[in-house]
Amino acid sequence: MLGTSLLGRLRRRDPGDAILRRAARLTLVASVVFYGCRYGAGSSVLATYGLFGTIAAGSFAQLPGPAPQRARILVTSLPAVWALIAAGALLAWSTWAAAGGMLVIGFVVAFAGVGNPRLVGLASAFQLFYILASFPPYQPGTVPERLGGVTLGIVLLAAAEMLLWPDPVPVSYRQRLAEAADGVAAFLDAAADGLTDPHTDPGGRDARRTRAHDVVAAIELGRNPPEWAPSAAGAQDRALRICAAALREVLVEADQLAADTPSAPIPDRTAARLLRASADTTRAAGRALSPGGPTVELGDLDAAIGRAEAAYPEGEGDGHDAPDVSRLCRDATALALTDQTRIFAVGVRVATGSRLDGVDTHSGLFAYARHSPWTLYWWQFRAHLAPRSAHLHSSVRLAVALAIARVAAGVLQLTHGFWVLLATLTVLRTSAADTRTALRPAVLGTIAGAVVSGGLMLVVDQPIIYAVVLPITLMLAFGVGRLLGPVWQQALFTLLLTGVFAQLNPEGWRLAEARLVDVLLGVVIGVLAGVAMWPRGASHDLRLNATRYLAASADAVEQTIQAVLGGAPPLERALNRVRQRMILVDASYCQYHSERHGPHHRQVNWDAVLSAGHHVVPGAESLLRRNPPGCLAGWPAAAALLRDSAGQLRSAYDDLAGEVAHGDASAPVPVRIGCAGELDRVRPLLSEGDPRSVRHLVEVDRWLAGLADSLSRIHPR
């Protein structure tokens, strides 16, 4: 009965048996490697590095993607593993040399992940390879054996990933993006139907709108695991991020058109035709994201844009009759939506590796695609070398803690000093709150494991017994223990380690005592480092980065308005400043989601706050492509109206930044009332300008109103 209850509990915690399958693969490979090296080849060095290489790559490394991708990452990481083991072995001659190497390598390995999330998944495993090799005895001559053992373990594990009980292929970010594209396309079709016949199935339009918002929300970076989110510096991940931003903008514009649906069918169907062309292109781009999907073509969309822009300004009157501003606003919104659709389609071509020959790539938006991966990585790396980078703080904290732990283990001449650093690595988190959370299971589990293993060693002193039960302890530690909870996992891992070293270097019950002392020392160092160095984790950095990001966004808005009014501000510099600060705020936001938070931190609706900034850059670039700098020069009344609107928006951004910095509830901000509601603001100016200038005024004012609308959605949770 007890066994049945335990089995049922494990199955509930592991739907699909994913954890147990991984544990079974790890157990089989680790057992084969250890038995073959220790008892077949008769080498303790081969056995040690083979076993710990398998455990590090199979348990500590968190790798994304299907089995073939994970296997490829493991095999291609071997040169880095060899370098780390060689460096550790050569620096093991001195405690201070090894600690200095730990400080440098610990930082570099942790910080390297800013350019590729796959490196983040390998960071802990890489740290372990250096840690294991950096302890005495100092025997450079054993480096070939060490490299041979770890290579054998990693290669066999990579083969097992593909051949033994492979995991189901997970849903990738591209699949989520393709699903979002399909949902948005369906909503665009419904919005187009609403313009041509407002009384056709309004309930169906609402359902499609709801689904579109749900699937677009699923592609937010913060809602995807770091190893899955497209946060790498490479061209494909950059393109996917642009695609996600463009699709969000398409949905925002479609919402506006749906909200402004007239009570009767509109006489001119330009907006409806643009919506349908955008729906077709968005759907085709989503299909192109699937493996082997056809390349998305832009000819039909470009033709629709060309026809709309050719008819758009001239069809509004002769400059003396009042233009139909409602129609102007609908058409302007549809053109802005179509422009973002085109960005989405071009981004999909870049993400899928399609050629861009003959394709207008919107000036510098996709200029990065012409640069090498190393250049792109350096840009990302340099962006995070900033005082408010969450990645920089985490990397420095970890490197310093591991270096101190290495000094303590060397000065105290601990026989198994490796366990001190392993405990520090295990308990240290990105915030003091999370470190305290990891403290209790680490201590309780180690004490329980040490007591049990020490008692066993008093009773059983035959290494052959521990050899026989090795597969059982492996399966318990990495399968059952992980499902039962952190305390059980730590206790069973302690039992596994004492059983392994009972075969490598029998010391009796004192081995369990050494394990307990080493882990407690490592835990103390980890806790002190977590409390002393940036204890608030990403929450503090997120507030400061978001404040600076909103301020930069406000500057970009004001300078965009100055540009269309004929000023010559350094607009590209302002937009680049927003992009740079977006990198830091997005990184802080992703780390923030992985930490524990008190009720005070939840007062800020971070999704809405960051969305308010994310609308600025793509919107400004789209606006200036159809409304070039100086398009409204020489119209003083329009200049006064737009400057007043930009000033109010700047105040709203500044107020929001101040509230975010203090974690207070948002104060009232400008609320968007739609195109029809903007008539009273611009009506006095309509008879003063020519049709093209009126069009520019409506488009610029519509953009400012959209930004105010994004601010109006921010409320405390």
Side-chain angles (χ1 to χ4, degrees), residues 18 223 458 475 670:
R223 301 196 180 192
L458 284 174
M475 192 66 192

Side-chain angles (χ1 to χ4, degrees), residues 551-611:
S553 298
D555 288 340
V557 170
E558 284 194 327
Q559 295 194 26
T560 300
I561 298 304
Q562 290 297 327
V564 298
L565 294 178
L571 182 58
E572 188 58 32
R573 185 183 305 171
L575 294 179
N576 281 334
R577 189 181 303 117
V578 179
R579 294 188 191 101
Q580 292 296 318
R581 293 182 178 178
M582 185 190 302
I583 293 175
L584 294 180
V585 77
D586 281 344
S588 299
Y589 181 55
C590 289
Q591 182 172 309
Y592 174 84
H593 269 281
S594 68
E595 298 175 351
R596 294 168 57 90
H597 310 290
H600 175 72
H601 294 117
R602 295 193 180 101
Q603 291 182 5
V604 178
N605 186 343
W606 289 114
D607 288 324
V609 168
L610 300 188
S611 178

Side-chain angles (χ1 to χ4, degrees), residues 604-696:
V604 178
N605 186 343
W606 289 114
D607 288 324
V609 168
L610 300 188
S611 178
H614 288 359
H615 290 310
V616 171
V617 172
E621 291 173 332
S622 176
L623 180 78
L624 293 174
R625 275 191 289 274
R626 292 186 315 280
N627 305 274
C631 63
L632 289 175
W635 194 352
L641 184 148
L642 293 178
R643 287 195 179 100
D644 178 66
S645 297
Q648 293 182 32
L649 200 57
R650 174 61 187 259
S651 297
Y653 272 108
D654 289 342
D655 290 343
L656 177 60
E659 292 157 10
V660 166
H662 296 92
D664 297 329
S666 299
V669 292
V671 178
R672 188 173 188 182
I673 54 179
C675 284
E678 295 295 322
L679 285 174
D680 292 337
R681 270 171 42 87
V682 299
R683 191 184 301 278
L685 306 182
L686 300 184
S687 60
E688 300 179 12
D690 60 84
R692 185 176 294 275
S693 296
V694 169
R695 183 204 106 174
H696 292 317

Side-chain angles (χ1 to χ4, degrees), residues 478-513:
F478 299 111
V480 177
R482 182 163 294 180
L483 292 175
L484 292 179
V487 175
W488 281 93
Q489 185 178 3
Q490 190 67 28
L492 292 171
F493 187 60
T494 298
L495 190 63
L496 167 65
L497 288 180
T498 51
V500 168
F501 280 95
Q503 301 172 65
L504 294 173
N505 186 21
E507 299 178 31
W509 65 270
R510 292 193 176 277
L511 186 63
E513 178 190 27

